Every structure is written in C-alpha cells, then in structure tokens.
Amino acid sequence: DGHGRESEYLDASSKEAFGVKPQVINLGNTIVGAGLMALPKVVQTLGIVTGVISLFVVLMCTIKTLNYMLVESTRCRSTDFAAVVRQRLGTKAAHVLDFSIVVNNVGLLIIYLRIIGDVLVGNAEYKGIITDFMSDKSLLAQPYFSVGIITFGVLLPLCSLEKMDALAAASAS
C-alpha cells in the first residue's frame, strides 16, 4: 500500500526546499546537463541531419511523457509517480516501473562514471584534468583508479545516507 509513502511525499512538498518546483528544476538541470554532455557524440556518430532528427524525436517523446505524468498525477491527486502507476495500471506495472528505474539508474551511473573518467583522465582524443598536471604513468592518471576513488570516496558515502535531505543544500535549484 503506497498511501503512507504518498502522504510522506505530500507532507514533504509543503516545505519549499522539497516542493514540486525545485524537483522539476533539478530534473531539468539533470536532463539538460546530460544532454549537453552527450550532444557532440550524438552528432559525431549520427551526422548532423540524422542527429537533429533523433534529438527532435527524443524531445517529442519527453514532452509527451511529461504531459502524461502531469495529467495523471493531477487526476490521482498524487505527487508520487509510483502511486500513480499503481493506481492507474496495477501492482504488476508498479513492479515493472521499479525494475526499470533500477536498470535506468545503473545505466546512468555507468555513463556518468565514464564521463567523469574522460574528464579527469582523458581518452585517446584529449588529455584530462589529472594528466595535464601529472605524468601519464602516475597512479591517479589511471582511469580505473581515479573513477574508483570518485565511486568509493564520494558516491558511496552519498548513497549510504538514510535521507537525501542533507543534499538539498547542494542542489542548484
């Protein structure tokens, strides 16, 4: 029964820092940031015309999805997307949603770690931040080591927080 979780979210949305507007802004920042990081690679791989067409298709899918989410959450009077899916589509669909969120998050984590590794250490095309200041033979200049430090020194402690409230001050929204 998701009603307890839903009321918890509704209570949290009364606080300005955890309201719907800052969450939408934060989600928008994430989408735009990831899109800007991926845009050059998309155009390089697909070409200008096909890249622009594919970006337009993704834009239209995003708009339709956000519209659906807003309309259905208004109908259900819920700010919890999982509760909306459970109410409209049933428990099995809610489990599929949970599984797809886990798969999506693991994929995004891998992509972001790859981007972090490219920025810090670099790749065949350009030097990274660390390799500008250190020898290529240095331990920190090894991608697996530097990404491991970021993963276990930064991301693991952040993921182990019981509540994400402590991270609200770090959000630019």
Side-chain angles (χ1 to χ4, degrees):
D1 187 8
H3 297 295
R5 244 177 58 185
E6 182 179 338
S7 64
E8 178 182 314
Y9 288 120
L10 290 174
D11 292 341
S13 68
S14 63
K15 299 176 186 174
E16 187 171 322
F18 304 105
V20 174
K21 185 178 178 184
Q23 291 175 15
V24 169
I25 291 172
N26 196 9
L27 181 62
N29 287 340
T30 302
I31 292 170
V32 169
L36 288 177
M37 294 293 284
L39 190 59
K41 194 68 172 174
V42 168
V43 172
Q44 178 187 7
T45 304
L46 299 176
I48 287 284
V49 175
T50 313
V52 169
I53 290 171
S54 67
L55 289 173
F56 183 73
V57 168
V58 169
L59 170 71
M60 297 313 295
C61 289
T62 302
I63 289 171
K64 289 303 250 180
T65 301
L66 290 174
N67 183 39
Y68 168 75
M69 288 170 56
L70 288 171
V71 167
E72 291 303 317
S73 64
T74 303
R75 283 184 189 162
C76 293
R77 294 189 178 134
S78 173
T79 58
D80 183 7
F81 185 63
V84 172
V85 169
R86 188 176 298 106
Q87 184 177 355
R88 292 288 186 206
L89 302 174
T91 306
K92 288 182 182 179
H95 291 305
V96 170
L97 173 70
D98 290 341
F99 179 73
S100 66
I101 288 172
V102 168
V103 169
N104 180 57
N105 288 346
V106 168
L108 287 174
L109 177 64
I110 291 169
I111 290 168
Y112 279 121
L113 286 175
R114 178 77 188 261
I115 291 169
I116 289 170
D118 285 348
V119 169
L120 289 178
V121 179
N123 58 25
E125 298 174 17
Y126 59 91
K127 293 182 86 168
I129 295 171
I130 293 175
T131 52
D132 276 344
F133 297 108
M134 297 184 165
S135 165
D136 290 345
K137 306 288 185 212
S138 169
L139 186 60
L140 279 176
Q142 304 304 316
Y144 297 112
F145 185 76
S146 38
V147 170
I149 287 176
I150 296 294
T151 302
F152 293 108
V154 177
L155 297 178
L156 184 63
L158 289 177
C159 291
S160 64
L161 292 173
E162 189 171 321
K163 290 187 172 191
M164 296 295 148
D165 298 354
L167 300 176
S171 178
S173 61

